[in-house]
Amino acid sequence: MTGRLLQEIGEFGLIHRIRKGITSSDPALVQGIGDDVAVIKMGETGTKVLLVTTDILIEDIHFDLSWTDPSQLGRKALAVNLSDIASMGGIPKYFLISLGLPKNLSLSFVSSFYRGLKKEAKPFRVELIGGDTSLSKKIVINICLLGEGIKKDLLFRRGARVGDDLFVSGTLGDAALGLRILQEKGKIRGAEGLIKKHLSPRPRIELGQVIAKHHWATAMIDVSDGVLIDTSHLLQESGVGARVWESRIPLSRLYRKWISHFSKDPFQLSLSGGEDYELLFTAPPELRERISSLARSLGIPITRIGEILPIKKGLQIIKTDGKHDSPSRLGFEHFR
Ligand code: ADP
Ligand code: MG
C-alpha cells in the first residue's frame, strides 16, 4: 500500500488491493474474496458447502437515529446479510453479532434492537449463536451470517456468458428515493412505501433458492450499492460486458410519483441508488418463459433489463433517447 489516500482509490479499489495480496492453496476453499459470500466445502464429498458473509452498519454512515427505530435497525442489520446468502441461492442458518455501543445508550434501545433481530430471524429459521460487545462513540453493528448450500446449485458473480439476458427482481431506486425524502422532507405522508424500502429491506431468500435449485441462472449478485455498480461487479467476475436499457428499468408507481420532486431524470437514482436488495442475474434466452412463470408464481416482478456482451464492449447504458452512455460514477462507493 502506498502513500495514496483511500478517497483516491475508493472502497472497491481498496478491496482489489487487499485481494491481490491474498493467495490460498486450500482445496476446500471454493470462493474467497470476490463474491457476496465465501464458500467452503464440507465433509469428504464436498457436495455440501458452508457459506459465510459479513456486513457492517455504522451510525451516521448507514443509519440516522433521528428516523430509525431500534427494532427496524435490528431487522435491517440481519436482512442485509440475508440478502448476500440469497444472492448465492443458499440457506441461512446461524449468525454472530458484534456491537459497538455508547455508554449513554438506553437499555430499552438494545432490547428493542434484539426484538427486531429475532423478528427478522424467525421466518428464515436463523439462530443467534454469539457475538462480541464493546464501548464505542457511535453505534457499530457487525453481523457474520453462516449458511449452507449444495455446491453444484450455488450461483456466483462469475458464470455469465455472452448472449445471456440480464434480469432484476422487484423495482429499483425506491430505497434510495425513500432515504432522499427522509433527508430532505422527513417522514411525509404518501411516501411511506418508499421510506419503508429504505428502513426495512426484504431479502429475496426464496427467489434466490428457487433460481439456484432449478439452475435457471448462470450468475447472480444482490443489488446493494446500485444496479449499475453491482452489474459491473458481476461483469468483472464473469469477464464479460453488457448493455442495459434504461427504459426497461423497473420503477414502482410511488417512485414515479415522487422522483419528479427531486430530479428531471427519473432513471439516474434508480440506476445508481443503493439498498434495493433485489437479485440481479443472468440466464440464457431459452429460459425466458421459465423465468416469467417463476415471477408469476412467486408474485415478484422479474424484468429483463439488458444483455451480456463481449468484455471489450464494457458496460453500456442505452438511454431512453437511444444514445449510448458509459457513466464514470456507477453507484455508491465508500471513501469516494
Ligand atoms: P457485498 O456488497 O456483497 O457485501 P462487498 O462489496 O462488501 O460485497 O465485498 C466484496 C468482496 O470483498 C467480498 O468477498 C468481501 O468479503 C470482500 N471484502 C470486503 N471488504 C474486505 C476487507 N476489508 N478485507 C477482506 N475482504 C473484504
Ligand atoms: Mg452482496
Side-chain angles (χ1 to χ4, degrees):
M1 307 261 168
T2 64
R4 289 170 71 195
L5 302 176
L6 292 183
Q7 64 194 28
E8 295 170 54
I9 61 168
E11 175 191 359
F12 302 115
L14 177 63
I15 294 174
H16 179 72
R17 278 164 182 251
I18 294 170
R19 187 177 176 181
K20 274 202 307 194
I22 307 280
T23 51
S24 170
S25 54
D26 179 354
L29 187 64
V30 178
Q31 176 68 57
I33 299 174
D35 216 303
D36 295 291
V37 165
V39 181
I40 302 153
K41 278 190 217 163
M42 305 273 285
E44 291 290 295
T45 60
T47 49
K48 261 201 176 177
V49 286
L50 171 68
L51 307 177
V52 193
T53 185
T54 187
D55 258 308
I56 196 163
L57 295 182
I58 296 179
E59 182 183 350
D60 294 339
I61 303 291
H62 297 94
F63 60 92
D64 187 322
L65 286 181
S66 59
W67 60 62
T68 309
D69 91 73
S71 168
Q72 262 176 341
L73 186 60
R75 288 197 75 163
K76 183 167 176 175
L78 185 54
V80 301
N81 282 278
L82 289 167
S83 178
D84 279 318
I85 297 270
S87 80
M88 312 297 286
I91 303 166
K93 299 288 282 189
Y94 304 103
F95 70 103
L96 296 106
I97 182 156
S98 298
L99 296 173
L101 302 171
K103 60 178 155 192
N104 61 355
L105 194 69
S106 73
L107 203 53
S108 67
F109 183 101
V110 182
S111 309
S112 173
F113 176 86
Y114 271 83
R115 275 198 294 279
L117 265 185
K118 284 183 199 158
K119 206 167 167 187
E120 187 69 17
K122 202 172 172 196
F124 301 108
R125 285 187 275 170
V126 177
E127 278 181 57
L128 176 59
I129 57 164
D132 196 15
T133 309
S134 164
L135 175 66
S136 170
K137 289 203 173 110
K138 301 245 178 199
I139 299 174
V140 179
I141 305 158
N142 172 244
I143 286 182
C144 175
L145 176 63
L146 309 178
E148 65 177 22
I150 307 291
K151 184 168 166 279
K152 68 173 177 42
D153 294 343
L154 285 188
L155 285 160
F156 296 83
R157 292 181 180 184
R158 63 183 134 88
R161 291 182 295 239
V162 174
D164 280 354
D165 293 325
L166 181 66
F167 292 95
V168 74
S169 64
T171 55
L172 298 173
D174 300 280
L177 184 53
L179 174 60
R180 192 82 180 268
I181 292 172
L182 279 172
Q183 286 168 332
E184 293 183 24
K185 297 181 190 284
K187 286 189 173 169
I188 51 171
R189 274 183 61 190
E192 292 88 350
L194 299 170
I195 292 169
K196 193 172 166 209
K197 284 278 183 98
H198 163 67
L199 296 176
S200 308
R202 313 282 355 111
R204 298 288 195 193
I205 288 284
E206 187 189 4
L207 177 63
Q209 288 173 354
V210 175
I211 292 171
K213 187 176 76 184
H214 291 99
H215 297 199
W216 284 341
T218 48
M220 189 150 74
I221 185 171
D222 69 319
V223 181
S224 55
D225 297 324
V227 73
L228 287 186
I229 203 155
D230 287 315
T231 298
S232 80
H233 293 145
L234 185 148
L235 300 181
Q236 210 164 11
E237 295 304 319
S238 293
V240 292
R243 177 179 291 143
V244 170
W245 300 289
E246 199 177 68
S247 61
R248 299 247 182 118
I249 294 300
L251 304 179
S252 69
R253 192 186 48 80
L254 260 188
Y255 179 94
R256 286 176 193 273
K257 183 178 161 203
W258 282 95
I259 191 64
S260 56
H261 295 256
F262 297 90
S263 169
K264 283 202 190 93
D265 175 359
F267 293 105
Q268 204 246 331
L269 191 66
S270 63
L271 289 167
S272 62
E275 299 198 303
D276 296 304
Y277 298 106
E278 293 296 345
L279 295 181
L280 179 80
F281 61 97
T282 54
E286 55 268 27
L287 291 177
R288 271 180 207 169
E289 192 37 53
R290 293 252 165 88
I291 290 164
S292 304
S293 56
L294 169 67
R296 282 193 299 275
S297 69
L298 291 181
I300 299 169
I302 298 179
T303 312
R304 183 160 60 92
I305 60 165
E307 61 189 0
I308 300 300
L309 303 176
I311 191 167
K312 61 175 186 294
K313 300 282 188 185
L315 174 54
Q316 306 173 351
I317 291 95
I318 313 297
K319 310 285 283 180
T320 43
D321 60 10
K323 289 199 182 116
H324 287 214
D325 191 17
S326 299
S328 52
R329 193 181 141 72
L330 296 173
F332 181 78
E333 184 172 9
H334 286 287
F335 314 124
R336 290 274 198 206

